[in-house]
Amino acid sequence: GAGVSQSPRYKVAKRGQDVALRCDPISGHVSLFWYQQALGQGPEFLTYFQNEAQLDKSGLPSDRFFAERPEGSVSTLKIQRTQQEDSAVYLCASSLGDGQSPLHFGNGTRLTVT
Amino acid sequence: GNSVTQMEGPVTLSEEAFLTINCTYTATGYPSLFWYVQYPGEGLQLLLKATKADDKGSNKGFEATYRKETTSFHLEKGSVQVSDSAVYFCALRSKNQGGKLIFGQGTELSVKP
C-alpha cells in the first residue's frame, strides 16, 4: 500500500509477556519514528531512525523497550516483560528524512496489558 | 525543553459555528509548527503547517498563523461541519532534533447538527 502499515492492529498481552510490534514505512522514506499515545493524551516520542541507524532513543521509558530497523526499512518495537502501564497505542511514522518533509503516520497498534 | 500546550477539550459546537483551538509553544530557535487531526478510528493526518514566523497554514477551511511574539499557533475555522468532529493536535519540530515532532495533549472537537 501507499501508507505506513502497522501490525498487529490490536494486541493483548498478559503482564510479563514480551511483545513485538511491526512497522512498514512508506517505500523510500529514510526516517522512521515511534511514538506512544496513552488514552486521552498526545503522542509521546520514543525513538527515531535514519536508515538503519538509531539516532535518538531518548524517549524510551525503560530498558524493557527496544527498537530496531536492521535493513533500513521495516522496524520492530519490542517490549519485554510488559507491565500494565505499557498499555497504549504505539504509532509509527516515516518521512523522507530531509528534516522538512511531513511525517506520515500509521494507524497504530493498540496494546492492552492485562 | 521544547513543549506544546493546547486548550483542554472537549469542545462542543453547533454546525456553522466559529472554531478556535488555542495552542502555545516553548522552544529554542525557530521551530516549524503543525496541526494534525485524528478522525475516529483513523491515524494522525497532517492538517496544515507553517515553517516560519508570520506564515499562515491553511487547509480544508482551517487556518493557523505562526505568531512568534506570542509563541502561538491557534487553529481557526469560520464555519465547522459535523464531519470536522475529531481530535486535533498541535505540534512543533525543531531542526536540531532530527525532525521529530513534539505534540500537545490534543483537543477533542464535537460538532452537533
Side-chain angles (χ1 to χ4, degrees):
Chain A
V4 176
S5 177
Q6 292 187 245
S7 61
R9 189 80 173 88
Y10 302 92
K11 176 70 179 176
V12 178
K14 286 189 167 50
R15 191 173 57 161
Q17 282 184 330
D18 298 349
V19 298
L21 313 180
R22 177 186 169 106
C23 173
D24 281 89
I26 293 173
S27 178
H29 277 194
V30 169
S31 296
L32 187 146
F33 303 81
W34 283 99
Y35 283 82
Q36 181 190 58
Q37 187 176 16
L39 188 65
Q41 300 296 315
E44 295 281 346
F45 170 79
L46 293 177
T47 186
Y48 154 63
F49 291 85
Q50 188 90 338
N51 295 305
E52 68 278 5
Q54 190 173 18
L55 298 186
D56 185 346
K57 50 183 182 179
S58 61
L60 295 176
S62 78
D63 59 7
R64 296 186 295 103
F65 287 71
F66 172 76
E68 59 184 5
R69 195 186 185 197
E71 296 177 2
S73 179
V74 171
S75 178
T76 303
L77 176 67
K78 297 178 179 177
I79 309 173
Q80 297 176 323
R81 304 181 305 279
T82 52
Q83 305 293 315
Q84 281 194 314
E85 62 263 27
D86 300 335
S87 296
V89 175
Y90 290 86
L91 298 171
C92 176
S94 69
S95 76
L96 287 172
D98 58 5
Q100 294 295 322
S101 299
L103 271 62
H104 297 265
F105 283 83
N107 286 342
T109 294
R110 181 179 295 279
L111 172 66
T112 303
V113 181
T114 60
Chain B
N2 296 345
S3 66
V4 175
T5 302
Q6 292 180 232
M7 65 185 283
E8 288 196 17
V11 173
T12 302
L13 295 173
S14 297
E15 211 166 17
E16 300 184 4
F18 184 86
L19 168 72
T20 300
I21 300 178
N22 290 339
C23 170
T24 57
Y25 68 90
T26 301
T28 53
Y30 301 93
S32 296
L33 301 174
F34 303 82
W35 277 98
Y36 276 78
V37 59
Q38 191 170 38
Y39 296 103
E42 298 185 18
L44 281 165
Q45 300 174 29
L46 177 64
L47 180 59
L48 54 84
K49 68 175 184 178
T51 57
K52 61 183 188 297
D54 299 326
D55 267 3
K56 178 186 281 188
S58 61
N59 186 25
K60 298 182 181 180
F62 290 89
E63 292 183 339
T65 301
Y66 189 145
R67 301 281 188 207
K68 192 171 186 308
E69 62 277 12
T70 54
T71 61
S72 65
F73 193 54
H74 304 323
L75 182 68
E76 296 181 337
K77 186 174 185 182
S79 176
V80 293
Q81 305 301 312
V82 172
S83 57
D84 293 327
S85 297
V87 182
Y88 292 81
F89 294 92
C90 185
L92 70 81
R93 182 166 71 186
S94 291
K95 294 184 180 62
N96 63 351
Q97 292 193 312
K100 75 182 184 188
L101 288 168
I102 295 171
F103 287 89
Q105 75 272 31
T107 303
E108 182 181 359
L109 170 66
S110 177
V111 181
K112 305 297 185 189

